[in-house]
Amino acid sequence: MKHFAKRQRTACSPEHCLYLKKRRRETVLVQALRLGILLLLLGVWELVAQLRLVDPFIISSPSRIFATIGDLAADGSLFVHIGTTLWETLAGFAIAVALGTLVALALWWSERARRVLEPYIVVLNSLPKIALGPVIIVWFGTGSTAILFMTVLVGIIVAIMNMLGGFTATDPGKILLLRSMGASKLQILTKLVLPSSLPAFIGMLKICVGMAWIGSIMGEYISSNAGLGYLIVYGGQVFRLDLVMAATAILCVLAAGMYALVALAEKLLLKK
Amino acid sequence: MESENRRKALEFKDVRLVYHTKEGETAAAEHMSFCVYEGEFIAVIGPSGCGKTTVLSLAAGLLRPSAGEVCVHGKKGQKGIGYMLQKDELFPWRTVRQNIFLPLEIGKKDTPEHRARVLALAEKYGLSGFLRAYPAQLSGGMRQRAALIRTLAADPALLLLDEPFSALDYQTRLNVCEDVCRVIRGEQKTAILVTHDISEAISCADRVLVLSARPARVVASHTMDFSELSPLKRRESPQFSGWFEILWKELNV
């Protein structure tokens, strides 16, 4: 609409310019403080280690972490470990989201199925998935399959519950409207329930990103011979805190990156 | 058949409706009989909670009567109905244009001819400048107007209006009411308006049906004898307060 665009494009008055300037300044300040806290923490950490106030063997230090990452990268094993964990996490995430959404759809479609299965979902949701670790190892062995299964298991229940919540929260007035037009259940699903559940879907993606990391790292803790979780456990066992910290730092960066991707998807999908 | 040459658009024959819940059963309507003729604009008023909306749900075929018959154009299976609700219920992720095409998509009538007819309707009633806008960018009155065009999109033979103005502020309500009545009369549609607002009923309708408290049945039917059709002009006319008093008393028996 021309006149909608016009309203936003009017020249700004001096007061408004000042207001905009203030807001920009505030944003810059927040970002500077964020970075400042990180640098301060790293600096203090490095200093404490360098001055031997605490034994760096126990607390490691930023410089030692960087050196460790450099060593791992030099012999190429870093990328094997990152690749392993990333694959497990992404595949588990994708399967949990897809399967969880499908199950939620089925439960939305049939109220009876929903009522029948509700207690199972509640119990599975509150069960700590790690309790199933031994069972999973016996069933799927000690390889990637077991870890993938663990990742899916951790994510799928949350995916189901969130999506079902989104589907059943569809505005009853709009359902009534479609029914009065003679819409079939399939039409109600595709024209109304799915599009109106988009925000719930995005919310579910965000939660499942975190769940997928929990699943894959937990899986690697139980049994693995590669991956960042493996590095952390191995580093702990041989008392190489540098290795533990290095793997943890990489994990932080990867998890933040994946969350940023979902946030980007949210921006693109919910533009309206 | 009928000696009268007016054809019946909707007929309730001794309708009874019972709601069942875990707590028990409630009779919402009992021995309800009335007729709406083609081209007629009917308003239905009644004490609050008497089941006015139930009448529309029955007419729309969303509820089946427990006893008796509901016939639309002499047939029991309902089709060709446009339902307009209290809230506009426009889909926020669709533009106004996509919203008013919705009934065509649902009814599998999404052809260029039907689209052209709907767009012509939108143009005729002042919506053409807003077709690309999203509902959130429109005022309450404009949104309700878009909802009306959507209601008319599938060219329904019978319009069911469930308090379509009650969510609007007073001034907008008078204006939108004026618009909606003009559109409905312009398109020569048969319409049933359910409202709790006596003045709205008097100013819009050709005939006002008064329902009793639950279980609802029709206790009176008054033909409005205004020479004016415009709701605002009717409100100024001398008969208006007379009708108001009569209906007010009937509601408070």
Side-chain angles (χ1 to χ4, degrees):
Chain A
M1 293 306 314
K2 266 175 221 144
H3 55 274
F4 285 116
K6 213 183 267 173
R7 198 185 301 160
Q8 290 164 346
R9 277 245 151 253
T10 45
C12 82
S13 68
E15 290 137 88
H16 191 65
C17 285
L18 200 65
Y19 164 80
L20 288 179
K21 210 171 172 184
K22 259 187 190 162
R23 280 193 55 161
R24 268 198 299 272
R25 207 179 289 159
E26 178 67 22
T27 314
V28 171
L29 187 65
V30 165
Q31 272 166 351
L33 284 175
R34 272 184 197 156
L35 196 65
I37 289 177
L38 181 69
L39 291 178
L40 185 72
L41 283 176
L42 289 178
V44 169
W45 189 0
E46 184 67 41
L47 209 63
V48 167
Q50 291 286 345
L51 297 175
R52 304 245 156 204
L53 296 175
V54 183
D55 191 346
F57 185 64
I58 294 175
I59 61 161
S60 189
S61 76
S63 61
R64 293 170 71 137
I65 292 172
F66 277 117
T68 310
I69 294 177
D71 290 347
L72 286 173
D75 69 5
S77 62
L78 177 69
F79 308 107
V80 175
H81 290 301
I82 289 181
T84 306
T85 302
L86 211 53
W87 183 81
E88 289 158 357
T89 310
L90 288 177
F93 171 74
I95 295 173
V97 164
L99 223 56
T101 307
L102 282 179
V103 172
L105 263 182
L107 294 180
W108 174 82
W109 192 275
S110 160
E111 201 194 334
R112 183 176 293 150
R114 187 159 74 230
R115 289 181 57 198
V116 169
L117 295 178
E118 198 185 4
Y120 292 94
I121 292 174
V122 170
V123 169
L124 274 179
N125 183 43
S126 36
L127 176 79
K129 261 54 91 182
I130 196 156
L132 298 174
V135 178
I136 293 175
I137 290 174
V138 171
W139 286 358
F140 295 98
T142 54
S144 263
T145 321
I147 297 166
L148 189 62
F149 188 79
M150 178 64 98
T151 311
V152 173
L153 200 63
V154 171
I156 193 167
I157 304 293
V158 180
I160 292 174
M161 300 217 326
N162 270 279
M163 281 325 289
L164 186 59
F167 292 151
T168 49
T170 308
D171 186 345
K174 292 192 172 60
I175 294 179
L176 179 72
L177 178 81
L178 284 182
R179 284 184 58 211
S180 78
M181 294 177 191
S184 65
K185 196 160 186 175
L186 186 65
Q187 282 178 321
I188 293 178
L189 178 71
T190 55
K191 301 282 179 202
L192 172 62
V193 174
L194 289 182
S196 71
S197 300
L198 192 60
F201 184 72
I202 301 282
M204 182 270 280
L205 287 186
K206 280 182 173 170
I207 300 171
C208 276
V209 166
M211 289 293 159
W213 285 108
I214 293 176
S216 61
I217 299 301
M218 208 161 72
E220 287 181 0
Y221 276 17
I222 298 172
S223 91
S224 65
N225 39 33
L228 294 168
Y230 163 78
L231 277 189
I232 293 173
V233 173
Y234 171 76
Q237 283 166 349
V238 300
F239 233 81
R240 278 182 58 197
L241 264 294
D242 298 341
L243 194 58
V244 174
M245 296 293 187
T248 312
I250 295 170
L251 208 52
C252 278
V253 173
L254 289 179
M258 201 159 146
Y259 188 87
L261 279 182
V262 174
L264 185 72
E266 177 180 24
K267 235 185 191 164
L268 291 177
L269 285 172
L270 298 181
K271 236 184 328 199
K272 291 160 201 168
Chain B
M1 291 284 291
E2 283 290 318
S3 56
E4 227 171 329
N5 54 10
R6 290 202 296 176
R7 290 199 301 168
K8 288 172 183 172
L10 171 72
E11 187 172 22
F12 275 51
K13 291 180 194 160
D14 201 22
V15 169
R16 172 179 146 84
L17 184 85
V18 181
Y19 282 114
H20 294 277
T21 59
K22 214 164 58 177
E23 284 71 33
E25 51 183 343
T26 320
E30 193 95 63
H31 302 299
M32 185 183 278
S33 299
F34 66 88
C35 231
V36 181
Y37 295 98
E38 260 178 30
E40 211 177 12
F41 194 142
I42 295 276
V44 177
I45 58 172
S48 51
C50 78
K52 297 186 286 276
T53 300
T54 307
V55 174
L56 294 190
S57 299
L58 282 165
L62 298 172
L63 289 175
R64 269 157 201 260
S66 313
E69 259 180 39
V70 177
C71 298
V72 176
H73 290 283
K75 290 190 207 108
K76 270 215 263 182
Q78 277 81 1
K79 262 213 156 172
I81 283 191
Y83 207 142
M84 190 167 170
L85 298 154
Q86 211 175 96
K87 290 198 289 168
D88 53 71
E89 305 295 6
L90 295 169
F91 291 6
W93 57 87
R94 284 171 170 246
T95 61
V96 168
R97 186 185 151 93
Q98 291 165 332
N99 262 297
I100 59 178
F101 286 158
L102 183 65
L104 300 183
E105 291 170 28
I106 298 296
K108 305 219 160 64
K109 290 194 283 188
D110 199 0
T111 61
E113 301 86 72
H114 283 290
R115 280 186 170 220
R117 185 177 47 75
V118 176
L119 287 178
L121 212 57
E123 166 121 61
K124 191 168 162 192
Y125 297 109
L127 208 63
S128 46
F130 299 90
L131 289 175
R132 280 168 203 282
Y134 284 94
Q137 296 169 303
L138 303 186
S139 66
M142 202 43 97
R143 290 170 65 121
Q144 207 50 283
R145 197 184 293 198
L148 177 69
I149 301 299
R150 181 190 57 195
T151 311
L152 293 170
D155 198 18
L158 181 61
L159 292 182
L160 306 172
L161 313 173
D162 191 356
E163 307 206 15
F165 316 120
S166 58
L168 303 170
D169 63 78
Y170 189 68
Q171 198 192 347
T172 315
R173 185 193 305 190
L174 290 185
N175 281 327
V176 174
C177 178
E178 185 84 11
D179 281 353
V180 167
C181 290
R182 187 167 56 89
V183 175
I184 289 174
R185 294 199 189 277
E187 299 299 311
Q188 296 176 323
K189 292 287 179 191
T190 314
I192 303 178
L193 167 76
V194 157
T195 178
H196 61 265
D197 185 332
I198 301 175
S199 351
E200 204 167 275
I202 302 171
S203 60
C204 291
D206 300 324
R207 191 150 62 90
V208 178
L209 298 181
V210 183
L211 299 186
S212 68
R214 221 163 46 192
R217 94 204 127 72
V218 179
V219 288
S221 163
H222 300 285
T223 305
M224 297 292 111
D225 52 355
F226 292 93
S227 50
E228 271 300 338
L229 287 179
S230 146
L232 282 176
K233 295 229 167 88
R234 279 192 186 187
R235 281 175 193 264
E236 291 162 6
S237 96
Q239 297 114 294
F240 190 85
S241 55
W243 277 120
F244 192 94
E245 212 161 304
I246 292 169
L247 293 173
W248 174 258
K249 274 184 189 147
E250 278 180 354
L251 280 183
N252 291 288
V253 203

